[in-house]
Amino acid sequence: MKISLWLLVSLLCGLCLLSACGPMNEAPAAADELGTLHRGLVYVAIGASDSFGFGTADPYADNWPIDLAHKLGPSVHLVNLGIPGVHLHQALRLELPIALDVHPDIVTIWLAVNDLADQVPVTAYARDLDLLLTRLQAGDPRARIAIANVPDLTLLPHFRTFDQQWLRSQIQLYNTAIADNVRKHHLILVDLSQQRYNLARHPEYVSDDGLHPSDIGYVALADLFYQALR
């Protein structure tokens, strides 16, 4: 399936008013706790297959951006731009323009694992991340941006065939590049290190495909993003 078709599917899934998707018993209290949120909040998720919802039986309904949107409040407009297989450089062309067009109040970014696994040089990744964030902040200077780093991929069955020493080195380099951009652009870092997203202690966070989060894993991710945004 071509990436442009994935983009279309993602947009049709994402452009919805979540208050119409079912009851959200805890949403009003969650919105009050955040304080800065308001009715009609626009939330954009920039990402890949993890944001799209791969690893669950129903990606359209079970993914961490939807779980996070439920926590943010009862009148949240979610635009989920997650495209399976996308690299950060491609997201500059396919996801960023749409994110800017909808003028989001909150943006989440989790877009690193594909680049790392496909051996995109960390210097190129860091340059593209800086460009994405610069354009995003120039277009929406008031948007709150939270970005996640790379968890310990050595604990995922999908990466068992990779050179483990190389993999650990790349995780460290990528996370350093993400941390540098967080400091430069004054963003919110969602740390998926073992302490915060402990895949060794919680193997149930990983779906049967050995790569993507499970339903429980997505809930845990949404909670980490929510706690960071608070």
Side-chain angles (χ1 to χ4, degrees), residues 23-201:
M24 292 178 285
N25 296 330
E26 298 178 359
D32 290 341
E33 289 172 3
L34 278 169
T36 59
L37 302 187
H38 54 80
R39 290 189 177 275
L41 181 81
V42 177
Y43 160 39
V44 169
I46 294 176
S49 55
D50 309 278
S51 299
F52 186 83
F54 272 24
T56 68
D58 185 3
Y60 296 101
D62 297 322
N63 56 66
W64 70 263
I66 284 182
D67 292 336
L68 175 58
H70 278 273
K71 290 177 174 290
L72 292 175
S75 299
V76 174
H77 297 270
L78 168 61
V79 182
N80 188 349
L81 300 179
I83 305 172
V86 75
H87 291 166
L88 178 57
H89 187 73
Q90 296 168 312
L92 287 169
R93 177 172 55 89
L94 297 174
E95 300 188 31
L96 178 61
I98 300 168
L100 292 173
D101 282 345
V102 300
H103 302 289
D105 300 285
I106 285 183
V107 180
T108 60
I109 302 170
W110 192 22
L111 200 54
V113 175
N114 288 338
D115 291 75
L116 188 156
D118 293 337
Q119 302 185 32
V120 173
V122 69
T123 52
Y125 174 84
R127 183 175 60 249
D128 286 338
L129 181 58
D130 183 31
L131 181 58
L132 182 143
L133 296 171
T134 298
R135 291 179 178 174
L136 190 60
Q137 290 182 315
D140 291 283
R142 296 185 179 181
R144 301 179 67 192
I145 304 173
I147 181 171
N149 58 12
V150 183
D152 188 356
L153 301 180
T154 65
L155 298 171
L156 298 180
H158 176 83
F159 288 96
R160 285 175 182 165
T161 59
F162 283 64
D163 182 292
Q164 298 300 290
Q165 183 176 353
W166 174 88
L167 186 57
R168 290 188 183 92
S169 173
Q170 290 301 299
I171 293 170
Q172 183 176 0
L173 289 172
Y174 264 73
N175 282 347
T176 297
I178 292 170
D180 289 345
N181 271 281
V182 166
R183 287 190 292 269
K184 177 179 179 179
H185 294 275
H186 307 288
L187 309 180
I188 301 168
L189 176 64
V190 180
D191 186 7
L192 300 184
S193 66
Q194 292 186 25
Q195 292 74 28
R196 297 299 308 279
Y197 192 63
N198 195 326
L199 298 178
R201 183 175 297 177

Side-chain angles (χ1 to χ4, degrees), residues 189-226:
L189 176 64
V190 180
D191 186 7
L192 300 184
S193 66
Q194 292 186 25
Q195 292 74 28
R196 297 299 308 279
Y197 192 63
N198 195 326
L199 298 178
R201 183 175 297 177
H202 296 283
E204 71 275 12
Y205 286 176
V206 183
S207 69
D208 292 338
D209 68 10
L211 173 61
H212 299 95
S214 63
D215 297 57
I216 299 173
Y218 280 128
V219 171
L221 283 168
D223 187 62
L224 287 176
F225 271 92
Y226 179 69

